Amino acid sequence: MEELTERPFPPGRYPVVIIGSGPGGLQLSYSLDRLGVGRATLSADPGPGGMFRKWPLMQRMLSWTKPHAPVPRQSRSYERYDWNSLIPDEDEFRGLQVDHMDGTSYFPSRPEMEENLVAFAARTGTKVRYGCTWEATGREDDEFVVTTSDGEYRAGVVVFAVGVAEPWRPSSPGIDQVPHYGEMQGVDAYMGKRVFIIGKKNSGFEIANGLLPVARQIILASPSPARLSVDTKSLVGVRARYVQPFEDHALGGGVFVMDAAIDAVERAGQGYRVHTHRSDNGEPMIFEVDEVVAATGFVTPLLDLPGLGVTTFGQSRLPAQTPYWESASVPGIYFAGTITQGSGGLKKHGIPSNSGAVHGHRYNAVVLARHLAETRFGMRLERPPIDAGALGEWLLNEVTFGPELWHQRSYLARVVSVSGSDGVRDEGLLPLAHSSTRGRSTPSRSPPRPTGPGRSTPRSTSGSRAS
């Protein structure tokens, strides 16, 4: 484990500085290394993992890795069945998550996910300066100045892969006095108690599901009805693994799922009194409970970036981004990891991107690395030729089996260029919103990538469409 404890990347000037060592930061760091782009990756944590060093709270992932799949584990197609491993160029580093699972579930535990990320960093030689905390960000001329606990770093490009991991609470009186999702006690502390959970998204139902064997009664409440992923047919909504509390609610099992706004929370003896009003008719309801937990979501920890002009939106304060995950208001600042969900893309057929999860944003990082190499550092990356006679079969294979299009079918496109002088070439993955507007007058802050003499507008495949 020596490679995880050494201190690479001393303060100084680098082509790219990356903040964060979760899956997004690790994937981007690895991909830049393989392209030959110099970078320094910094992390306040003592080792790889990011949020998976402590969450999910109930210790079992929502994302699956299937040890036994219809395709070989070291094939690219296996990525469709493995939502947790990062994406290497080398076959021997593929599908690492399976090596760290005990076989009791195809949903890895939190420690197994952390071990997977540690193994990826170690086996691929992806170095990070751990124990280095990002403290402030400034700008001097055409460089960003990143102040850390170890000193100053300067770069023309800075990528923030810091997650959406800062607890958020609404302003209702008293909510600030109860533990947030990330501050809960162990499950045994809720034995035989009435528990009120504020929030009905995945974190709220994760808590409820974990407390079913021990709590006397569970109440989940928020103003809007809960949505289920099986209804939205996407990652939007409560995932199927957490719907047992719904059944208990429907069948009278001591769980109540309420559409009600929280007016106030106050101490009542050794417990709490929660004041609410129903969403349908405004009728007030008061609950006397032993414990209250705020499963009210998280925001992006951007520190002083808004002071530099980085604009944000929504409750989660996600930064507004271009299709290439660059700040929409401050060129040169980029984002990786789950923050890339802030770039909505085209939402093809109404389907959102999977950028909020590892199996989506790992591909974003690969695309971003290539984009930076070409637009920021003048590299001309390989475009492999495709036999024109086999183009139809090639496109069909990509649409049917390509894991990138399967996982990011509303965000990424596989692009092919066709010209009389250069033949047919694989242009690789590009954001669908970008590739669909190439050749039009839509302005872009990034310089256009050279396509070579005689090339036509590239064609793309995305999801179930080939053009």
Side-chain angles (χ1 to χ4, degrees), residues 3-76:
E3 65 275 13
L4 300 182
T5 58
E6 62 184 26
R7 299 277 287 166
F9 311 125
R13 182 174 280 104
Y14 294 86
V16 179
V17 169
I18 301 169
I19 311 296
S21 59
L26 291 176
Q27 181 70 69
L28 180 60
S29 298
Y30 165 87
S31 297
L32 289 175
D33 285 350
R34 293 305 189 266
L35 293 173
V37 176
R39 54 87 194 176
T41 301
L42 317 174
S43 174
D45 291 332
M51 64 168 284
F52 297 113
R53 296 180 61 84
K54 56 182 178 179
W55 295 328
L57 195 65
M58 296 299 168
Q59 301 295 297
R60 184 67 70 179
M61 304 292 294
L62 277 174
S63 49
W64 62 61
T65 290
K66 300 186 176 183
H68 306 288
V71 295
R73 175 180 154 191
Q74 291 189 322
S75 68
R76 175 169 159 250

Side-chain angles (χ1 to χ4, degrees), residues 76 366-367 370 374 380-388 390-391 394-395 397-399 402-405 412-419 422-430 435 438 449-451 455-462 467:
R76 175 169 159 250
V366 174
V367 174
R370 292 179 60 87
E374 295 201 322
R380 177 63 178 167
L381 302 181
E382 180 185 4
R383 269 74 175 169
I386 303 171
D387 180 3
L391 179 59
W394 188 92
L395 289 172
N397 184 74
E398 285 299 310
V399 169
E404 305 92 346
L405 300 189
L412 296 178
R414 190 83 183 191
V415 179
V416 173
S417 62
V418 181
S419 79
D422 211 18
V424 182
R425 291 191 175 271
D426 176 11
E427 298 281 326
L429 292 168
L430 294 175
S435 62
R438 291 184 62 174
R449 181 177 52 74
T451 55
R455 286 203 178 171
S456 63
T457 301
R459 304 182 180 184
S460 67
T461 66
S462 174
S467 61

Side-chain angles (χ1 to χ4, degrees), residues 159-317:
V159 185
F160 294 90
V162 293
V164 184
E166 185 176 302
W168 178 84
R169 291 178 172 86
S171 58
S172 302
I175 291 183
D176 59 338
Q177 303 301 312
V178 304
H180 191 270
Y181 168 90
E183 304 161 346
M184 278 184 63
Q185 305 175 68
V187 170
D188 290 346
Y190 299 88
M191 186 75 67
K193 294 183 177 181
R194 298 185 71 197
V195 183
F196 194 104
I197 301 170
I198 303 173
K200 300 201 306 287
K201 294 187 177 180
N202 274 311
S203 58
F205 275 90
E206 177 196 343
I207 294 169
N209 199 61
L211 296 184
L212 285 176
V214 300
R216 177 159 56 99
Q217 191 176 73
I218 299 172
I219 304 160
L220 297 101
S222 69
S224 301
R227 303 172 70 187
L228 302 182
S229 64
V230 293
D231 293 329
T232 67
K233 297 179 176 58
S234 72
L235 297 189
V236 175
V238 179
R239 300 291 296 281
R241 287 192 54 240
Y242 294 155
V243 299
Q244 187 61 47
F246 265 116
E247 183 175 277
D248 285 29
H249 164 75
L251 301 181
V255 176
F256 299 89
V257 180
M258 312 288 297
D259 296 340
I262 312 302
D263 297 321
V265 180
E266 62 181 2
R267 271 290 184 181
Q270 296 299 310
Y272 295 89
R273 184 176 295 116
V274 184
H275 297 262
T276 75
H277 66 269
R278 287 177 52 160
S279 298
D280 55 354
N281 59 17
E283 178 183 344
M285 296 181 293
I286 299 175
F287 297 88
E288 301 277 352
V289 296
D290 301 303
E291 301 286 351
V292 180
V293 180
T296 48
F298 300 85
V299 298
T300 312
L302 296 180
L303 294 187
D304 55 359
L305 292 186
L308 280 182
V310 173
T311 57
T312 63
F313 66 95
Q315 177 185 302
S316 297
R317 295 207 290 270

Side-chain angles (χ1 to χ4, degrees), residues 103-149:
T104 59
S105 172
Y106 63 69
F107 293 96
S109 68
R110 186 212 58 76
E112 290 170 348
M113 179 64 177
E114 182 183 353
E115 290 172 9
N116 159 45
L117 297 173
V118 170
F120 180 86
R123 294 186 61 183
T124 62
T126 303
K127 297 184 182 299
V128 176
R129 188 176 183 87
Y130 296 106
C132 181
T133 303
W134 166 44
E135 296 178 342
T137 317
R139 188 157 197 175
E140 294 182 5
D141 299 324
D142 59 350
E143 285 187 324
F144 294 100
V145 181
V146 179
T147 302
T148 75
S149 55

Side-chain angles (χ1 to χ4, degrees), residues 16 28 31-32 35 37 157 159 322-327 331-335 363-381 383 411-412 427-431 434-435 438 444-450:
V16 179
L28 180 60
S31 297
L32 289 175
L35 293 173
V37 176
V157 173
V159 185
T322 71
Y324 279 105
W325 312 287
E326 185 178 14
S327 168
I333 289 181
Y334 291 80
F335 302 93
Y363 299 112
N364 297 353
V366 174
V367 174
L368 176 57
R370 292 179 60 87
H371 177 69
L372 292 176
E374 295 201 322
T375 63
R376 292 283 177 170
F377 302 104
M379 295 183 179
R380 177 63 178 167
L381 302 181
R383 269 74 175 169
Y411 199 91
L412 296 178
E427 298 281 326
L429 292 168
L430 294 175
H434 174 79
S435 62
R438 291 184 62 174
S444 172
R445 274 182 278 94
S446 298
R449 181 177 52 74

Side-chain angles (χ1 to χ4, degrees), residues 324-354:
Y324 279 105
W325 312 287
E326 185 178 14
S327 168
S329 52
V330 183
I333 289 181
Y334 291 80
F335 302 93
T338 189
I339 302 178
T340 59
Q341 66 187 283
S343 182
L346 296 184
K347 294 187 177 178
K348 188 166 171 275
H349 304 306
I351 300 172
S353 76
N354 286 332

